[in-house]
PDB file of all heavy atoms in Angstrom:
ATOM      1  N   SER A 565     -47.808 -12.842  24.265  1.00  0.00           N
ATOM      2  CA  SER A 565     -47.239 -14.148  23.885  1.00  0.00           C
ATOM      3  C   SER A 565     -47.074 -14.088  22.402  1.00  0.00           C
ATOM      4  O   SER A 565     -47.530 -13.175  21.698  1.00  0.00           O
ATOM      5  CB  SER A 565     -48.197 -15.248  24.248  1.00  0.00           C
ATOM      6  OG  SER A 565     -49.450 -15.178  23.483  1.00  0.00           O
ATOM      7  N   SER A 566     -46.366 -15.071  21.847  1.00  0.00           N
ATOM      8  CA  SER A 566     -46.159 -15.104  20.398  1.00  0.00           C
ATOM      9  C   SER A 566     -46.117 -16.590  19.928  1.00  0.00           C
ATOM     10  O   SER A 566     -45.793 -17.522  20.744  1.00  0.00           O
ATOM     11  CB  SER A 566     -44.828 -14.471  20.010  1.00  0.00           C
ATOM     12  OG  SER A 566     -44.584 -14.495  18.659  1.00  0.00           O
ATOM     13  N   GLY A 567     -46.417 -16.753  18.699  1.00  0.00           N
ATOM     14  CA  GLY A 567     -46.326 -18.126  18.080  1.00  0.00           C
ATOM     15  C   GLY A 567     -44.848 -18.616  18.135  1.00  0.00           C
ATOM     16  O   GLY A 567     -43.930 -17.842  17.878  1.00  0.00           O
ATOM     17  N   VAL A 568     -44.657 -19.839  18.467  1.00  0.00           N
ATOM     18  CA  VAL A 568     -43.371 -20.393  18.693  1.00  0.00           C
ATOM     19  C   VAL A 568     -42.453 -20.338  17.443  1.00  0.00           C
ATOM     20  O   VAL A 568     -41.175 -20.287  17.575  1.00  0.00           O
ATOM     21  CB  VAL A 568     -43.430 -21.820  19.208  1.00  0.00           C
ATOM     22  CG1 VAL A 568     -43.969 -21.872  20.543  1.00  0.00           C
ATOM     23  CG2 VAL A 568     -44.134 -22.778  18.263  1.00  0.00           C
ATOM     24  N   ASN A 569     -43.029 -20.331  16.292  1.00  0.00           N
ATOM     25  CA  ASN A 569     -42.238 -20.290  15.028  1.00  0.00           C
ATOM     26  C   ASN A 569     -41.911 -18.847  14.509  1.00  0.00           C
ATOM     27  O   ASN A 569     -41.423 -18.641  13.494  1.00  0.00           O
ATOM     28  CB  ASN A 569     -42.854 -21.088  13.938  1.00  0.00           C
ATOM     29  CG  ASN A 569     -44.151 -20.492  13.482  1.00  0.00           C
ATOM     30  OD1 ASN A 569     -44.815 -19.704  14.196  1.00  0.00           O
ATOM     31  ND2 ASN A 569     -44.655 -21.011  12.325  1.00  0.00           N
ATOM     32  N   THR A 570     -42.123 -17.896  15.477  1.00  0.00           N
ATOM     33  CA  THR A 570     -41.783 -16.465  15.140  1.00  0.00           C
ATOM     34  C   THR A 570     -40.300 -16.382  15.321  1.00  0.00           C
ATOM     35  O   THR A 570     -39.745 -16.798  16.345  1.00  0.00           O
ATOM     36  CB  THR A 570     -42.504 -15.570  16.132  1.00  0.00           C
ATOM     37  OG1 THR A 570     -43.929 -15.741  15.926  1.00  0.00           O
ATOM     38  CG2 THR A 570     -42.157 -14.145  15.816  1.00  0.00           C
ATOM     39  N   THR A 571     -39.647 -15.708  14.331  1.00  0.00           N
ATOM     40  CA  THR A 571     -38.159 -15.634  14.367  1.00  0.00           C
ATOM     41  C   THR A 571     -37.601 -14.329  14.841  1.00  0.00           C
ATOM     42  O   THR A 571     -36.429 -14.181  14.994  1.00  0.00           O
ATOM     43  CB  THR A 571     -37.620 -15.896  12.886  1.00  0.00           C
ATOM     44  OG1 THR A 571     -38.030 -14.846  12.070  1.00  0.00           O
ATOM     45  CG2 THR A 571     -38.037 -17.276  12.340  1.00  0.00           C
ATOM     46  N   TYR A 572     -38.544 -13.372  15.030  1.00  0.00           N
ATOM     47  CA  TYR A 572     -37.989 -11.962  15.352  1.00  0.00           C
ATOM     48  C   TYR A 572     -38.103 -11.608  16.793  1.00  0.00           C
ATOM     49  O   TYR A 572     -38.033 -10.463  17.134  1.00  0.00           O
ATOM     50  CB  TYR A 572     -38.648 -10.915  14.434  1.00  0.00           C
ATOM     51  CG  TYR A 572     -40.209 -10.894  14.477  1.00  0.00           C
ATOM     52  CD1 TYR A 572     -40.869 -10.135  15.445  1.00  0.00           C
ATOM     53  CD2 TYR A 572     -40.993 -11.667  13.618  1.00  0.00           C
ATOM     54  CE1 TYR A 572     -42.235 -10.080  15.500  1.00  0.00           C
ATOM     55  CE2 TYR A 572     -42.355 -11.602  13.632  1.00  0.00           C
ATOM     56  CZ  TYR A 572     -42.990 -10.811  14.571  1.00  0.00           C
ATOM     57  OH  TYR A 572     -44.362 -10.801  14.597  1.00  0.00           O
ATOM     58  N   GLY A 573     -38.280 -12.677  17.691  1.00  0.00           N
ATOM     59  CA  GLY A 573     -38.218 -12.422  19.097  1.00  0.00           C
ATOM     60  C   GLY A 573     -36.849 -12.316  19.646  1.00  0.00           C
ATOM     61  O   GLY A 573     -35.888 -13.100  19.218  1.00  0.00           O
ATOM     62  N   GLY A 574     -36.588 -11.492  20.613  1.00  0.00           N
ATOM     63  CA  GLY A 574     -35.288 -11.244  21.124  1.00  0.00           C
ATOM     64  C   GLY A 574     -34.941 -12.405  22.105  1.00  0.00           C
ATOM     65  O   GLY A 574     -35.824 -13.042  22.801  1.00  0.00           O
TER      66      GLY A 574
END
Side-chain angles (χ1 to χ4, degrees):
S565 65
S566 183
V568 292
N569 63 346
T570 302
T571 63
Y572 56 89

